[in-house]
């Protein structure tokens, strides 16, 4: 039993949370101003997206100094004030560790590019072939790997006369983890922050650290060409285990590992390496369509239930989430904007009642939706722009209007519009033009309005946080899926035996039922539930708190209920 299993995390994307100094960009003092709000949610920990010095090409995931705070966000003193303010309220702070790559403006890279002896091997440099092309000499990359943002994962550097690897933007060169000096540097950085009082790290794309020395070509059919070589690469468990032993374990720090393409089997191995919480992606990729590798298809609930069930049974501890700064807004994607409140509550019910640790992404607790972008000029995310550019060139289309729906469905900017605090112009986020457009629904969807409404998504989140804190069965209980083939409802039981496994052991049981769609599905529970549903613990439609004698149910659109089972 540990704190991070029992905790609820709140994720803050600092750029879009609250602007204290009127430059249209969120900042650390802005978060300090809202610490009582965060405390009021009842959450136990904050995961803060990167606030380190950075050219902000990938909004902080391109770090140019791991031990300094980015100017727009404030100073180290501001950060210390935030840490104290959170700790004063018993809220832990988890920072983001971006260790697969740095910015190309980091001094390590600048020196590596200059072939400075000490830094020469800090990054992954390789010679490529040269060919004579129409426009003179062309540099052919060392292999066919692709960047997650589209295009080759290699960039030729004329100064050094070699290509460097970048699995993300070309301004995010990959560090060379096979160099022990690089590993020492990262341990030092982590240690430095933990000494300052940080409680743990969310580790960015941490399963991509190890690349095979011979850098073989990847299958051209793959969704991400090269990934079979760099996802869970040859020495990954050695590196992750070493980080754990040298950096995290001495401080008893929590680690939350972001790992694309993670399977439950690999997750178990990472857990053996010392990782605490894994972030699976499988449930977020069921709507991946074929067309230009973007996300387009409807989610099949039966398949989604299978995915969740597989992870529930795996020997690891997962982060439970429907949204974060890289994903569209959950209500728009998995729920229904027509039933905004109902579907936001339904999704939250699932997150808070599965086995794992719920992560709430800022704005989710008020049911924020995708804003709808009208042109590429409104898009701020380099990842979206790069991917769209590459995909459009591949299939030979031009113009935003031809990709409007798909971009609006998928872009990460959906999650990055400013937090909606009130109905003032600027939604209480900033008095200036924000760095990214506001969702036009802010006059109705905002914290102030939600606070005054008992039926709001926000009030419901408060109930869920309490339910989670008060019922160990929701944290530690076993999971059993019911009605696995029902296409519209997700029903499962959580049960926790107390007092050992003897016959007289007391068992705490809860039954969760949610309607994932806008219909009114009927279903019956197995006969064994006859007369056992004792009390309604949480109900999104405010069902009376009384026993339900029947086993026949009909749920309203997106309705969610949690019963205590006798
Ligand atoms: C995952 C982060 O969440 C995302 O925002 C970033 O672009 C990539 N890793 C690269 O750091």
């Amino acid at each position: 039993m540990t704190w991070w299993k029992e905790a609820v995390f709140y994720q803050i994307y600092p750029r879009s949370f609250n602007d204290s100094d009127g430059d249209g960009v969120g900042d650390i003092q802005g978060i300090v101003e809202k610490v009582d709000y965060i405390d009021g949610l009842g959450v136990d920990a904050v995961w803060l997206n990167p606030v380190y010095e950075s050219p902000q090409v990938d909004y902080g995931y391109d770090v140019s100094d791991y031990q300094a705070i980015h100017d727009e966000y404030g100073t180290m003193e501001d950060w210390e004030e935030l840490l104290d303010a959170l700790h004063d309220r018993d809220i832990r702070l988890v920072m983001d560790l971006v260790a697969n790559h740095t910015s190309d403006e980091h001094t390590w890279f600048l020196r590596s590019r200059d072939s400075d002896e000490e830094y020469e091997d800090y990054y992954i440099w390789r010679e490529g072939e040269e060919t004579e092309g129409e426009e003179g000499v062309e540099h052919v990359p060392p292999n066919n790997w692709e960047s997650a943002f589209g295009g080759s994962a290699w960039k030729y550097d004329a100064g050094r006369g070699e290509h460097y690897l970048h699995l993300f933007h070309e301004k995010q060169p990959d560090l060379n983890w096979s160099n022990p000096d690089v590993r020492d540097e990262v341990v030092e950085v982590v240690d430095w922050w933990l000494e300052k009082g940080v409680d743990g790290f969310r580790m960015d794309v941490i399963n991509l650290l190890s690349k095979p020395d011979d850098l073989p070509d990847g299958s051209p059919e793959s969704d991400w060409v090269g990934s079979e070589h760099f996802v869970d690469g040859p020495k990954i468990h050695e590196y992750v285990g070493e980080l754990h032993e040298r950096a995290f374990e001495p401080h008893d720090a929590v680690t939350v590992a972001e790992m694309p393409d993670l399977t439950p089997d690999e997750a178990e191995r990472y857990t053996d390496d010392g990782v605490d919480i894994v972030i699976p992606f499988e449930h977020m990729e069921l709507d991946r369509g074929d067309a230009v590798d973007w996300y387009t298809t409807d989610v099949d609930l039966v398949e989604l239930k299978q995915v969740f069930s597989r992870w529930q049974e795996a020997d690891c501890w997962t982060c439970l989430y429907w949204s974060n700064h890289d994903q569209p807004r959950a209500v728009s994607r998995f729920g229904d904007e027509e039933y905004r409140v109902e579907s936001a509550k339904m999704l939250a019910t699932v997150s808070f009642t599965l086995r794992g640790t719920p992560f709430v992404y800022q704005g989710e607790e008020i049911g924020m939706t995708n804003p709808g972008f009208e042109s590429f000029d409104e898009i701020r995310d380099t990842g979206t722009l790069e991917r769209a550019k590459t995909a459009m060139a591949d299939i030979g289309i031009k113009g935003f209007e031809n990709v409007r729906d798909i971009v609006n469905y998928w872009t990460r900017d959906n999650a990055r519009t400013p937090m909606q605090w009130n109905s003032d112009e600027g939604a209480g986020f900033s008095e200036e033009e924000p760095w990214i457009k506001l969702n036009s629904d802010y006059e109705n969807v905002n914290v102030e309005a939600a606070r005054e409404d008992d039926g709001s998504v926000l009030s419901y989140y408060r109930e869920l946080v309490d339910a989670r804190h008060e019922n160990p069965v929701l944290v530690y209980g076993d999971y059993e899926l019911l009605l696995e083939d029902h296409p519209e409802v997700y029903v499962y039981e959580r049960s926790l035996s107390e007092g050992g496994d003897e016959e007289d052991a007391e068992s705490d049981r809860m039954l969760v039922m949610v309607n994932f769609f806008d219909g009114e599905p009927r279903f019956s529970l197995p006969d064994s539930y006859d007369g056992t549903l004792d009390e309604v613990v949480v109900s999104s439609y405010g069902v009376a708190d009384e026993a339900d004698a029947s086993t026949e149910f009909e749920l309203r659109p997106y309705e969610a209920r949690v019963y205590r089972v006798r």
Side-chain angles (χ1 to χ4, degrees), residues 47 49 58 61 98 101 149 168 172 202 204-205 258 325-326 412 416:
W47 153 27
N49 284 108
D58 193 17
Y61 286 95
V98 192
H101 44 266
F149 296 158
F168 294 88
Q172 293 168 295
R202 174 265 189 189
D204 190 57
V205 293
E258 190 213 24
H325 66 292
D326 289 333
R412 310 195 290 183
R416 300 177 180 183

Side-chain angles (χ1 to χ4, degrees), residues 215-230:
L215 301 168
D217 272 343
S219 154
E221 309 304 316
S222 168
D223 276 345
W224 189 2
V225 177
S227 56
E228 71 271 41
H229 300 297
F230 56 72

Side-chain angles (χ1 to χ4, degrees), residues 447-518:
V447 169
E448 204 173 274
R451 268 181 163 159
E452 285 159 15
D453 174 3
D454 286 347
S456 68
V457 179
L458 184 64
S459 307
Y460 190 71
Y461 265 79
R462 281 287 350 208
E463 279 177 48
L464 285 172
V465 173
D466 290 347
R468 179 95 192 171
H469 285 152
E470 287 158 15
N471 296 285
V473 60
L474 291 179
V475 179
Y476 295 109
D478 289 340
Y479 163 92
E480 190 193 338
L481 176 65
L482 302 170
L483 309 179
E484 58 181 278
D485 296 322
H486 198 294
E488 289 169 87
V489 295
Y490 187 12
V491 182
Y492 48 93
E493 189 185 302
R494 305 289 314 278
S495 62
L496 184 67
S497 293
E498 282 160 22
D501 48 12
E502 303 303 321
E503 269 171 28
D504 59 354
E506 286 268 320
S507 179
D508 198 0
R509 298 166 65 195
M510 284 201 186
L511 186 77
V512 181
M513 51 177 80
V514 308
N515 175 8
F516 214 79
F517 298 99
D518 62 359

